[in-house]
């Protein structure tokens, strides 16, 4: 069962911190075993979407991180942290 467009759009607009907080809440609820089966399936699916969103945001941040290059012990510029 896929997310509804409104749900998918809702997640796309979330900050990393908000998505992670909600994902942690979902994990806690699933681990507690207190949610009925149908609700567990629905929140698990939302959790998967939140996880994918968090991973995408982390990848974007990783691509923006730069390391300072040194030449003769002095800063000489920047380059990608993990060139591929």
């Amino acid at each position: 069962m896929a997310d509804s467009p409104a749900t998918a759009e809702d997640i796309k607009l979330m900050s990393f911190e908000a998505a992670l907080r909600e994902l942690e809440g979902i994990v806690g609820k699933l681990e507690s075993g207190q949610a009925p089966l149908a609700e567990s399936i629905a929140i698990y699916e939302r959790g998967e979407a939140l996880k994918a969103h968090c991973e995408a945001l982390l990848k974007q941040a990783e691509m923006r991180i730069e390391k300072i290059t040194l030449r003769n012990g002095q800063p000489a510029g920047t380059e990608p942290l993990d060139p591929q």
Side-chain angles (χ1 to χ4, degrees), residues 49-62:
L50 288 163
K51 177 182 169 278
H53 178 65
C54 286
E55 287 173 344
L57 291 174
L58 284 173
K59 184 68 176 168
Q60 289 173 7
E62 181 181 274

Side-chain angles (χ1 to χ4, degrees), residues 3-80:
D3 288 325
S4 69
T7 302
E9 200 57 38
D10 166 45
I11 291 172
K12 286 180 187 177
L13 298 175
M14 294 178 92
S15 70
F16 175 81
E17 293 78 10
L20 186 59
R21 244 187 333 272
E22 184 175 341
L23 183 55
E24 289 170 343
I26 287 171
V27 169
K29 193 168 191 176
L30 289 172
E31 286 179 342
S32 75
Q34 296 178 354
L37 180 60
E39 182 183 351
S40 292
I41 292 168
I43 62 175
Y44 178 84
E45 290 173 345
R46 180 158 175 92
E48 284 291 315
L50 288 163
K51 177 182 169 278
H53 178 65
C54 286
E55 287 173 344
L57 291 174
L58 284 173
K59 184 68 176 168
Q60 289 173 7
E62 181 181 274
M63 290 171 43
R64 293 178 58 197
I65 294 174
E66 296 178 330
K67 68 177 178 181
I68 297 172
T69 58
L70 300 176
R71 189 171 300 130
N72 298 324
Q74 298 297 315
T78 61
E79 64 184 37

